[in-house]
């Protein structure tokens, strides 16, 4: 691995490390790097694969997303490289992660099966062999799961099944009320009636009963799906995506088929219908939302099917009734505190109530039913933000007489306008708090923009700081050149005459990518400039070139931190001009150039252009342009020094 | 197995997990007065709510580490936080109290903000008070607040040479506060470095006073301020935002301006001179009603004196800050000074800097020193601004912090005393046999060919 590659791969790795949450920008960045440096493909593939293997289960999916994104955007050779280990990687991960992630992995897999148009291929994304293996694996995994599920069902008895049929009939009747001319529903009722008769004859074997039970269950699931869908449509509001609690078991087929439900993954790939998809992954019994007109007694019955416990249920109802009575009597004598209408508790209750209606299916996997509801502190945040907004929106600081400077105003214990309104200006009036440094931003467009600049800035800086620590760790290793790259030190203070003209916007301006970086370049360039003037009297041409460059850089960056004290600092440094300084030199690839590489005229090595995020330009690193020719800065310097010595 | 004695049962009282994370809930407008034990480390993570330290709000769910510092954390609203410190046993050992002065700080801040809104020439406010009355904390809070709502850049001027704020101690400085202060730093943050730092750095201007006490050479001190004021005024003329944002000025303890022994009449004349130099319009005096009579007497005298040059309404008696550490002693202040010097050269754990040790021959170095006046001197016979030449000897220079000026090495004493400051160096070794001196420089390179001024501060690595 040559140096450039090493740097890129290191970069890539460190960004990959940061992927501890599902972050689109990070994935995009990684994809971009992978796309731009196809020569390093093998290393990237290794990096992503080892990331998937090594990171904690929760984060594996994100690494898979990177893999997916890279393959979709770039295609070959990544697809070929990844195909090799894809199956084992997928299998390992699938077995480690929780059910929610599994569902997401399956969705991901389904997308792989569809031909990728962006790379123009008509074949699936990866090699067929690998995809087939995964599919087989998924089929096995889900049927295994199904077996577990079946064994959990109670042994079917005729009365039990009869009860289920009754319930189904009730549900279907209910639906028929809404859609009186639905043919399917009418046939369904018919079938159910026939089935009931058959059962009552009582001549069926246990095997057959089991079959019937499974079928019923399936129909159930489907009905619930429909009802749920309907209640969701009724609400029209923000309906949280129900947590998919289990990997897809059986595919729900139409009601009157009698096929045994074998999972058919390929059928899923074709389906774009969201309902259908939902049915696929939610084919397990889902309690019916209690508000859908079907009364909660039905809901209670359903739970009885899964595990009959009518007696305890009855007890519970009794208890609840008694509690309600107690509550009523307490309320009557005024002993119950009812939270005011606009309190956070009321809001929370209201929201979680709604949430219960929408997302009861979560109960299946045992997680708390208000999973989708933000925590109380978060809601408190929202409420306080609102309050602050209203309190501070119409205050004019200029029209506030109590802010006049005098003793009594300043030491006023109870300055209402400050206490109730103004103080919010320091905090929640700007509700968006930077999660890294705590700086606050408002909601206006301008504030939003500066917030996004601010976040970008954090990201860039963090990347650079990471670079520092990563390299400083390798001190003493072979990579001494890159070690020194990011070492930083305190600057000299500005001369008084510079300070009085200095403007701090040069430091805090987030838009112009990085003054400091430019300053650094400027320094080293100037440094070399002095040096070449001292050393190579013959190279006039080169000298003017260089000083042009220095001038250019000077005019680019108004931060003239160096201009007056710099010559002095440079001359003192000049003797020990380090290789590192040279390597920081760069030439921006001219827009007119087609070729992104050039050959150093001294060492004949070809140099690839690299995209510099801070500058927003393609650059050749460690490069100088002298008299129209490009050299490695290090080569050039070395040669010039030797020439000089020879003279 | 389970009944084997000593193996399975660990008495919970004996077993104290030093790395335990404690959870703490603070009610709105209470403060947690934190005295971090020497050489210990406190980690704080805010879980919910708004908490601030000297006006700088802490981000939620981010770990903050504090060492060797006495701070007060204010709960702006109810706060849930986690903290960890191996040397504090638990929540019971913490000092949590009602904050009594934050409401006045808000009043003060918004009164200042009103002036900023009203005029392009912002307020210039000076904070005075006794030792440990909360001057620096108040300045820091006002600076932090000033940048929160509007993009102001108040100019913070530190006139207390005992404190290193953005600089090593021993100097007077002015720094535009253009972005967040580093909440974890006693020095408020960093001056400019050559690389990437977690927060935006600040760009101070520095005047070297070099002595510890103002009283050691008051004329020189006032002369430094005069020089600083010239630059500050020029900067304000050039810099619209800073001008509108105004200046917040920190001062040495009042006692240094009140001279009991010699000439009581001149008391506070120094302060008045500063007010005139920097064109200060508002003075905040930190004083409590409960102070001793003698103290009150002094404050009254100050008040009368101030009245002669600024509007009475602009002289505010402000209670000493809640959450201050009344008994912070010299040892603590020394340790803060050491930390400031260390930070200048080596940076912080988050931003590690690499200073550079350079050697020079004795005859390549010229070192000056500010004059220390004493009572016996005939005041009119000597020039207090005159620099004295320092012999290059180990016992004088070893471990000394020196200010490197922009003046040439061979410049005259007068030129040197007027020259701007390039930076600071630390003399690490003086080898009299080989006539060689080693200086730690912040910037890699040779020892600059410049005149150097010795300060009274020493730092032993």
């Amino acid at each position: 691995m040559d140096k450039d590659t090493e740097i890129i791969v290191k970069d890539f790795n460190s960004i990959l490390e940061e992927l501890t949450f599902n972050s689109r920008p990070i994935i995009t960045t990684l994809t971009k790097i992978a796309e731009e440096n196809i020569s390093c493909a093998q290393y990237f593939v290794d990096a992503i694969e080892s990331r998937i293997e090594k990171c904690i289960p929760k984060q594996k999916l994100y690494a898979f997303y990177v893999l997916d994104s890279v393959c979709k955007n770039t295609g070959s050779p990544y697809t070929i490289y990844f195909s090799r280990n894809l199956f084992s990687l997928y299998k390992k991960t699938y077995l480690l992660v929780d059910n929610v992630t599994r569902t997401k992995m399956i969705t991901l897999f389904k997308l792989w099966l569809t031909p990728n148009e962006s790379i123009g291929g008509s074949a699936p994304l990866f090699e067929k062999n690998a995809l087939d293996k995964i599919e087989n694996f998924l089929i096995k995994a889900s049927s295994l799961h199904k077996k577990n599920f079946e064994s959990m069902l109670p042994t079917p008895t005729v009365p039990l099944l009869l009860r289920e049929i009754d319930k189904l009939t009730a549900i279907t009747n209910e639906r028929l009320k809404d859609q009186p001319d639905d043919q399917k529903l009418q046939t369904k009722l018919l079938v159910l009636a026939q089935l009931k008769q058959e059962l009552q004859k009582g001549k069926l074997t246990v095997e057959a009963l089991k079959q019937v039970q499974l079928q019923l269950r399936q129909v159930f699931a489907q009905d619930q799906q429909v009802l749920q869908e309907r209640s969701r449509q009724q609400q029209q509001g923000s309906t949280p995506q129900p947590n998919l609690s289990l990997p897809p078991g059986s595919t729900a087929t139409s009601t009157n088929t009698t096929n045994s439900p074998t999972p058919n993954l390929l059928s899923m790939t074709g389906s774009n219908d969201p309902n259908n998809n939902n049915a696929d992954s939610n084919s397990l019994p889902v309690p019916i939302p209690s508000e859908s007109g079907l009364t909660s007694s039905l809901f209670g019955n359903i739970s009885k099917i899964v595990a009959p416990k009518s007696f305890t249920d009855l007890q519970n109802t009794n208890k609840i009734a008694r509690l309600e009575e107690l509550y009523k009597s307490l309320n009557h004598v005024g002993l119950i505190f009812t939270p005011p209408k606009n309190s956070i508790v009321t809001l929370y209750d209201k929201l979680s109530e709604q949430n219960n209606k929408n997302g009861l299916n979560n109960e299946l996997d045992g997680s708390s039913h208000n999973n989708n509801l933000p925590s109380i502190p978060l809601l408190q945040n929202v409420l306080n933000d609102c309050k602050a907004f209203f309190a501070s929106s119409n205050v004019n600081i200029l029209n506030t007489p109590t802010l006049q400077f005098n003793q009594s105003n300043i030491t006023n214990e109870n300055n209402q306008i400050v206490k109730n309104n103004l103080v919010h200006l320091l905090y929640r009036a700007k509700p968006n708090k930077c999660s890294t440094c705590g700086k606050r931003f408002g909601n206006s467009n301008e504030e939003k923009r500066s917030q996004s600049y601010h976040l970008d800035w954090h990201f860039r800086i963090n990347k650079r700081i990471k670079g520092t620590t990563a390299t400083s760790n390798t001190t003493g290793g072979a990579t001494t050149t890159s070690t020194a790259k990011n070492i930083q030190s305190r600057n000299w203070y500005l001369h008084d005459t510079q300070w009085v003209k200095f403007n701090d916007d040069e430091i805090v301006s987030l838009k112009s990518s990085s003054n400091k970086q430019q300053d650094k370049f400027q320094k080293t360039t100037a440094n070399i400039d002095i040096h070449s003037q001292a050393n190579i009297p013959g190279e006039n041409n080169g000298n003017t070139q260089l000083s042009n460059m220095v001038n250019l850089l000077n005019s680019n960056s108004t931060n003239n931190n160096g201009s007056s004290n710099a010559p002095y600092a440079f001359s003192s440094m000049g003797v020990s001009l380090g290789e590192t300084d040279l390597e920081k030199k760069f030439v921006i690839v001219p827009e007119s150039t087609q070729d992104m590489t050039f050959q150093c005229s001294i060492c004949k090595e070809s140099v690839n252009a690299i995209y510099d995020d801070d500058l927003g330009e393609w650059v050749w690193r460690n490069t100088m342009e002298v008299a129209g020719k490009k050299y490695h800065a290090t080569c050039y310097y070395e040669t010039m020094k030797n020439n000089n010595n020879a003279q | 197995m389970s009944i084997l004695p000593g193996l399975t049962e660990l008495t919970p009282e004996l077993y104290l997990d030093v790395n335990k994370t404690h959870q703490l809930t603070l009610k709105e407008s209470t403060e947690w007065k934190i005295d971090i034990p020497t050489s210990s480390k406190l980690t704080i993570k805010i879980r919910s709510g708004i908490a601030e330290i000297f006006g700088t709000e802490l981000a939620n769910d981010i770990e903050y580490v504090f060492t060797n510092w006495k701070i007060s954390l204010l709960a702006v609203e109810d706060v849930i936080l986690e903290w960890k410190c191996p040397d504090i046993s638990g929540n019971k050992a913490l000092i949590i109290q009602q904050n009594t002065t934050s409401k006045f700080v808000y009043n003060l801040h918004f009164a200042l903000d009103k002036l900023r809104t009203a005029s392009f020439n912002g307020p210039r406010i000076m904070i005075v008070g006794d030792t440990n009355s909360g001057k620096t904390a108040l300045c820091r809070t006002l600076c932090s607040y000033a940048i929160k709502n509007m993009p102001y850049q108040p100019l913070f001027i530190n006139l207390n040479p005992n404190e290193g704020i953005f600089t090593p101690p021993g100097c007077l400085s002015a720094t535009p506060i253009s972005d967040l202060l580093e909440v974890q730093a006693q020095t408020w943050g960093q001056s400019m470095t050559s690389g990437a730092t977690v927060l935006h750095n600040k760009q101070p201007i520095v005047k070297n006073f070099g002595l510890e006490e103002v009283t050691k050479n008051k004329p020189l001190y006032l002369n430094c301020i005069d020089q600083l004021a010239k630059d500050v005024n020029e900067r304000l003329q050039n810099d619209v935002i800073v001008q509108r944002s105004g200046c917040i000025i920190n001062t040495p303890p009042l006692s240094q301006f009140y001279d009991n022994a010699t000439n009581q009449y001149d008391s506070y004349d120094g302060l008045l001179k500063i007010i005139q130099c920097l064109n200060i319009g508002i003075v905040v005096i930190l004083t409590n009603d409960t102070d001793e009579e003698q103290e009150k007497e002094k404050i009254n005298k100050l008040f009368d004196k101030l009245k002669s040059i600024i509007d009475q309404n602009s002289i505010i008696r402000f209670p000493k800050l809640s959450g201050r550490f009344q008994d912070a002693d010299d040892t603590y202040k020394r340790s803060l000074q050491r930390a400031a010097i260390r930070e200048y050269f080596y940076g912080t754990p988050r931003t590690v800097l690499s200073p550079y040790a350079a050697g020079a021959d004795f005859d390549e170095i010229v070192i000056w020193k500010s004059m220390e006046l004493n009572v016996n001197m005939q005041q009119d016979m000597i020039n207090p601004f005159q620099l004295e030449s320092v012999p290059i000897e180990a016992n004088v220079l070893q471990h000394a912090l020196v200010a490197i000026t922009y003046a040439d090495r061979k410049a005259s004493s007068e030129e040197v005393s007027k020259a701007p400051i390039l930076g600071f160096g630390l003399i690490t070794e003086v080898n009299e046999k080989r006539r060689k001196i080693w200086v730690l420089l912040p910037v890699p390179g040779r020892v600059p060919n410049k005149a150097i001024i010795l300060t009274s501060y020493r730092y032993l690595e």
Side-chain angles (χ1 to χ4, degrees):
Chain A
M1 210 189 315
D2 65 297
K3 248 179 256 159
D4 287 344
T5 321
E6 196 174 331
I7 292 165
I8 300 165
V9 172
K10 202 177 267 168
D11 262 5
F12 187 86
N13 262 325
S14 68
I15 303 172
L16 193 61
E17 298 277 282
E18 284 166 40
L19 194 67
T20 54
F21 56 105
N22 193 3
S23 156
R24 196 190 164 87
I26 297 183
I27 294 177
T28 319
T29 317
L30 289 169
T31 311
K32 222 187 200 169
I33 298 179
E35 200 173 349
E36 282 157 6
N37 302 291
I38 288 192
S39 56
C40 312
Q42 183 62 64
Y43 300 113
F44 294 153
V45 170
D46 288 347
I48 295 172
E49 284 183 344
S50 82
R51 170 79 188 164
I52 293 176
E53 291 226 338
K54 281 174 193 156
C55 68
I56 59 168
K58 232 177 106 186
Q59 297 170 3
K60 288 185 196 294
L61 181 70
Y62 315 138
F64 259 108
Y65 285 160
V66 176
L67 181 158
D68 178 71
S69 167
V70 167
C71 289
K72 282 198 179 132
N73 286 296
T74 317
S76 162
Y78 289 101
T79 45
I80 301 167
Y81 283 141
F82 276 121
S83 294
R84 283 182 307 198
N85 288 329
L86 193 65
F87 168 63
S88 68
L89 218 54
Y90 190 94
K91 184 176 143 190
K92 260 187 221 159
T93 312
Y94 187 91
L95 292 175
L96 276 175
V97 297
D98 58 300
N99 282 331
V100 183
T101 318
R102 283 181 183 173
T103 325
K104 287 189 181 145
M105 285 185 71
I106 290 168
T107 321
L108 187 68
F109 171 73
K110 284 196 296 193
L111 290 171
W112 289 344
L113 290 175
T114 36
N116 189 344
E117 276 160 31
S118 62
I119 55 167
S122 55
L125 196 57
F126 296 100
E127 281 169 15
K128 194 170 177 306
N129 190 7
L131 293 178
D132 284 350
K133 270 200 217 160
I134 295 179
E135 192 182 345
N136 284 332
F137 162 73
L138 283 175
I139 291 171
K140 257 188 228 159
S142 46
S143 67
L144 201 67
H145 186 89
K146 209 177 110 53
K147 237 177 238 165
N148 282 341
F149 170 67
E150 275 173 30
S151 67
M152 271 160 50
L153 292 176
T155 339
T157 55
V158 174
L160 192 74
L161 289 175
L162 282 178
R163 255 209 313 263
E164 287 193 28
I165 291 171
D166 284 347
K167 240 164 295 141
L168 259 179
T169 322
I171 295 176
T172 320
N173 274 327
E174 197 69 29
R175 279 179 63 190
L176 206 58
K177 266 186 215 160
D178 282 1
Q179 303 148 280
D181 38 23
D182 191 326
Q183 281 296 319
K184 267 190 190 163
L185 287 179
Q186 278 167 12
T187 14
K188 194 168 158 188
L189 276 178
L190 252 152
V191 173
L192 282 172
Q194 280 174 8
L195 193 62
K196 200 172 171 183
Q197 278 175 8
E198 283 300 312
L199 279 172
Q200 275 161 344
K201 282 180 198 158
K203 282 180 192 161
L204 289 165
T205 59
V206 179
E207 267 305 298
L209 282 179
K210 218 166 194 157
Q211 200 67 33
V212 173
Q213 188 186 27
L214 274 173
Q215 290 255 317
L216 281 173
R217 191 129 316 214
Q218 227 181 308
V219 178
F220 237 150
Q222 220 188 15
D223 272 11
Q224 278 152 4
Q225 199 65 43
V226 173
L227 284 167
Q228 226 175 5
E229 206 56 52
R230 220 169 54 195
S231 72
R232 212 171 294 168
Q233 274 160 9
Q234 276 164 9
Q235 287 184 0
Q236 283 288 331
S238 59
T239 37
Q241 181 78 24
N243 261 342
L244 304 178
S245 47
L246 292 162
S250 52
T251 313
T253 42
S254 72
T255 26
N256 38 13
T257 50
T258 45
N259 299 345
S260 74
T262 34
N264 184 352
L265 277 161
L266 277 171
S267 79
M268 302 195 301
T269 60
S271 75
N272 285 325
D273 177 22
N275 287 339
N276 200 353
N277 263 347
N278 256 336
D280 282 346
S281 39
N282 262 344
S283 59
L284 293 166
V286 181
I288 300 161
S290 50
E291 56 122 40
S292 56
L294 280 172
T295 69
S296 52
S297 68
L298 184 67
F299 170 62
N301 285 340
I302 291 171
S303 61
K304 245 184 274 169
I305 303 168
V306 183
K309 43 178 180 184
S310 54
F311 183 64
T312 40
D313 240 30
L314 202 67
Q315 251 185 341
N316 279 342
T317 353
N318 275 345
K319 257 188 208 160
I320 289 168
R322 254 179 278 158
L323 268 177
E324 264 170 7
E325 216 167 287
L326 180 67
Y327 179 87
K328 262 184 207 153
S329 57
L330 282 174
N331 199 16
H332 190 68
V333 286
L335 279 175
I336 301 275
F337 168 75
T338 340
K341 209 177 168 188
N342 58 354
S343 88
I344 193 72
V345 182
T346 323
L347 182 65
Y348 191 82
D349 279 351
K350 234 185 231 162
L351 281 172
S352 59
E353 209 175 290
Q354 262 181 19
N355 195 56
N356 278 350
K357 289 170 191 165
N358 293 333
L360 265 182
N361 49 343
N362 285 345
E363 266 183 352
L364 266 188
D365 59 356
S367 68
S368 86
H369 56 39
N370 47 13
N371 233 359
N372 296 322
L373 197 64
S375 60
I376 290 243
L378 191 77
L379 290 172
Q380 194 106 45
N381 253 345
V382 175
L383 206 70
N384 285 341
D385 282 347
C386 293
K387 258 205 259 168
F389 172 78
F390 288 116
S392 60
S393 58
N394 275 323
V395 221
N396 187 346
I397 207 167
L398 280 177
N399 297 339
T400 316
T402 49
L403 290 182
Q404 203 64 43
F405 247 101
N406 65 44
Q407 184 68 48
S408 62
N409 274 343
I410 300 292
T411 46
N412 181 354
E413 281 272 353
N414 213 354
N415 194 337
Q416 289 299 331
I417 187 144
V418 170
K419 208 167 107 187
N420 297 334
N421 305 92
L422 289 172
V423 74
H424 294 296
L425 291 175
L426 294 176
Y427 308 101
R428 291 192 181 272
K430 292 183 166 190
N432 310 313
K433 184 165 161 180
C434 170
S435 62
T436 314
C437 69
K439 191 173 177 165
R440 284 183 172 275
F441 294 91
N443 270 332
S444 68
N445 282 341
E446 200 180 325
E447 288 274 320
K448 284 254 162 87
R449 206 173 315 129
S450 57
Q451 185 183 16
S452 76
Y453 285 134
H454 178 82
L455 293 179
D456 279 356
W457 174 78
H458 270 308
F459 183 74
R460 279 202 310 271
I461 287 291
N462 277 339
K463 224 166 76 182
R464 268 173 40 202
I465 290 173
K466 281 249 169 72
T468 316
T469 44
T471 44
S472 57
N473 284 341
T474 58
T475 320
T479 56
T480 33
T481 43
S482 65
T483 310
K485 191 176 89 179
N486 283 318
I487 283 187
Q488 60 171 320
S489 55
R490 178 83 55 212
N491 284 357
W492 294 121
Y493 295 128
L494 295 183
H495 192 278
D496 290 12
T497 52
Q498 292 173 308
W499 186 83
V500 298
K501 288 191 198 110
F502 187 80
N503 191 321
D504 270 50
D505 284 343
E506 286 165 31
I507 311 172
V508 291
S509 164
L510 302 165
K511 278 170 258 179
S512 71
S513 56
S514 150
N515 294 310
K516 281 178 239 157
Q517 191 73 22
Q518 266 185 13
D519 193 36
K520 236 173 22 183
F521 287 133
Q522 173 191 346
K523 231 177 187 171
T524 44
T525 323
N527 198 345
I528 290 163
D529 184 29
I530 286 162
H531 223 71
S532 43
Q533 271 173 7
N535 282 345
I536 349 157
E539 281 272 337
N540 267 334
N541 200 0
N543 266 341
T544 37
Q545 278 265 349
L546 274 169
S547 22
N548 282 346
M549 237 166 86
V550 176
N551 289 338
L552 198 76
L553 278 165
N554 275 336
S555 58
N556 271 350
S557 113
T558 33
N559 182 357
N560 50 1
N561 188 7
S563 65
S564 116
N565 62 358
Y568 138 73
F570 301 148
S571 53
S572 69
M573 256 180 87
V575 188
S576 56
L577 178 63
E579 212 171 66
T580 53
D581 296 318
L582 286 163
E583 291 203 336
K584 269 181 257 164
K585 281 188 55 57
F586 65 96
V587 169
I588 294 174
V589 181
E591 277 174 32
S592 52
T593 319
Q594 295 285 318
D595 199 359
M596 297 300 268
T597 60
F598 74 89
Q599 204 178 38
C600 169
S601 312
I602 297 170
C603 69
K604 304 294 177 202
E605 196 182 303
S606 68
V607 180
N608 287 323
I610 286 172
Y611 188 78
D612 187 309
D613 275 342
D614 292 331
L615 290 167
E617 297 272 14
W618 286 89
V619 297
W620 288 299
R621 290 263 161 81
N622 179 21
T623 299
M624 299 173 66
E625 192 167 2
V626 180
K629 279 190 169 175
K630 290 184 279 287
Y631 306 93
H632 274 132
T634 34
C635 291
Y636 186 77
Y637 177 68
E638 198 69 23
T639 317
M640 285 309 153
K641 207 167 74 181
N642 291 343
N643 282 352
N644 194 41
N645 287 345
Q647 281 165 19
Chain B
M1 281 300 280
S2 60
I3 48 159
L4 276 182
L7 259 184
T8 46
E9 278 185 46
L10 252 172
T11 9
E13 292 89 65
L14 285 177
Y15 180 69
L16 211 148
D17 187 2
V18 287
N19 275 325
K20 194 178 169 222
T21 308
H22 305 267
Q23 194 161 69
L24 178 67
T25 310
L26 295 173
K27 283 262 157 260
E28 183 177 329
S29 80
T30 55
E31 68 194 350
W32 173 17
K33 221 170 125 178
I34 317 169
D35 189 353
I36 303 161
T38 329
S39 73
S40 186
K41 185 173 104 173
L42 171 75
T43 312
I44 297 179
K45 196 191 256 185
I46 306 295
R47 278 302 180 195
S48 73
I50 298 177
E52 64 179 27
I53 294 173
F54 303 133
T56 307
E57 189 174 336
L58 274 68
N60 292 18
D61 298 316
I62 295 271
E63 258 187 22
Y64 287 94
V65 181
F66 300 90
T67 49
N68 183 33
W69 201 13
K70 299 179 196 295
I71 46 178
S72 281
L73 181 140
L74 172 68
V76 178
E77 7 176 279
D78 293 357
V79 166
I80 301 172
L81 59 82
E82 282 171 10
W83 64 272
K84 200 166 77 180
C85 177
D87 297 318
I88 302 178
S89 54
N91 279 344
K92 275 181 196 149
L94 306 179
I95 311 168
I96 290 164
Q97 59 188 29
Q98 196 69 28
N99 180 298
T100 51
T101 50
S102 64
K103 45 184 177 286
F104 305 133
V105 180
Y106 287 134
N107 289 346
L108 183 57
H109 162 70
F110 285 109
L112 290 173
D113 240 18
K114 182 176 177 179
L115 293 175
R116 293 186 184 112
T117 322
S119 160
F120 65 91
N121 200 354
R124 301 192 185 187
I125 175 174
M126 180 164 87
I127 317 289
V128 298
D130 290 327
T131 319
N132 298 332
S133 57
K135 294 182 295 298
T136 314
L138 180 59
C139 287
R140 188 168 178 164
T141 311
L142 289 176
C143 286
S144 290
Y145 284 170
I147 60 174
K148 280 191 100 167
N149 186 36
M150 300 289 284
Y152 288 129
Q153 295 180 6
L155 187 69
F156 171 68
I157 303 178
N158 179 28
L159 301 182
N160 185 357
N162 282 320
E163 284 188 72
I165 297 174
F166 298 113
T167 63
C171 53
L172 314 180
S173 65
T175 317
I177 309 298
S178 45
D179 203 62
L180 282 194
L181 301 176
E182 168 58 90
V183 72
Q184 294 163 98
Q186 298 95 323
T187 53
W188 298 28
Q190 306 243 0
S191 68
M192 300 299 285
T193 69
S194 62
T197 48
V198 186
L199 293 174
H200 291 292
N201 289 332
K202 310 291 182 289
Q203 185 66 274
I205 187 171
V206 171
K207 297 288 165 193
N208 179 51
F209 173 58
L211 306 175
E212 300 203 9
E213 304 294 319
V214 173
T215 45
K216 289 261 173 71
N217 188 343
K218 204 178 276 178
L220 175 68
Y221 174 75
L222 294 174
N223 188 47
C224 281
I225 292 178
D226 200 39
Q227 286 183 20
L228 186 68
K230 275 185 193 129
D231 290 329
V232 163
N233 289 333
E234 200 177 331
R235 169 75 183 251
L236 291 181
Q237 272 173 12
N238 291 330
D239 198 327
V240 190
I241 308 173
V242 177
Q243 190 180 26
R244 182 175 273 271
S245 313
C247 305
I248 295 167
I249 296 140
N250 195 16
T251 56
L254 266 184
S255 57
Q256 303 216 4
F257 294 99
Y258 187 90
D259 211 337
N260 265 331
T262 49
N263 36 7
Q264 282 223 17
Y265 290 112
D266 293 348
S267 290
Y268 304 125
D269 277 1
L271 273 183
L272 297 194
K273 174 107 195 295
I274 297 172
I275 291 170
Q276 279 159 345
C277 264
L278 286 163
N279 201 4
I280 288 162
I282 301 161
V283 177
V284 170
I285 309 169
L286 294 172
T287 170
N288 277 1
D289 290 342
T290 52
D291 284 345
E292 287 169 37
E293 276 307 314
Q294 203 190 351
E295 296 298 314
K296 279 195 198 163
E297 192 61 32
K298 285 182 187 170
I299 297 293
N300 285 338
K301 196 172 172 201
L302 170 65
F303 196 87
D304 288 341
K305 278 239 170 187
L306 289 174
K307 253 190 337 197
S308 65
I309 54 166
I310 45 178
D311 177 23
Q312 194 174 333
N313 274 334
S314 300
I315 310 167
I316 309 289
R317 291 168 198 247
F318 199 91
K320 290 181 179 175
L321 244 53
S322 173
R324 70 191 190 281
F325 287 79
Q326 273 157 292
D327 41 5
D329 55 4
D330 264 10
T331 331
Y332 171 65
K333 282 175 186 163
R334 291 266 167 230
S335 75
L336 287 188
Q337 290 168 1
R338 282 176 50 80
I341 297 175
R342 187 174 54 240
E343 206 175 296
Y344 177 75
F345 291 103
Y346 295 101
T348 61
R350 286 215 287 177
T351 310
V352 178
L353 302 182
S354 313
Y356 185 83
D361 292 336
F362 275 15
D363 38 334
E364 288 175 337
I365 297 277
V366 175
I367 299 181
W368 301 88
K369 190 180 112 185
S370 307
M371 193 181 287
E372 287 185 35
L373 305 181
N374 61 49
V375 195
N376 304 329
M377 279 182 177
Q378 276 291 336
Q379 295 274 340
D380 16 324
M381 293 295 283
I382 47 156
N383 173 6
F385 313 144
Q386 183 84 40
L387 293 170
E388 297 169 325
S389 178
V390 179
I392 301 184
E393 287 163 6
N395 57 357
V396 190
L397 295 177
Q398 194 85 280
H399 308 305
L401 180 75
V402 293
I404 305 166
T405 66
Y406 268 94
D408 195 76
R409 174 162 64 99
K410 299 195 179 95
S412 69
S413 145
E414 201 186 341
E415 279 173 306
V416 175
S417 67
K418 282 180 184 158
I421 301 298
L422 178 67
F424 289 87
L426 190 66
I427 296 180
T428 48
E429 197 192 333
V430 183
N431 191 330
E432 286 175 8
K433 256 190 222 150
R434 293 172 51 207
R435 296 184 57 77
K436 199 113 171 119
I437 185 166
W438 289 91
V439 187
L440 192 72
L441 298 172
V443 178
R446 279 185 188 168
V447 178
N449 191 24
K450 302 279 171 184
I452 290 171
I453 307 176
L454 178 68
T455 74
S456 308
Y457 292 86
R458 300 287 179 272
Y459 180 82
L460 225 122
E461 300 208 308

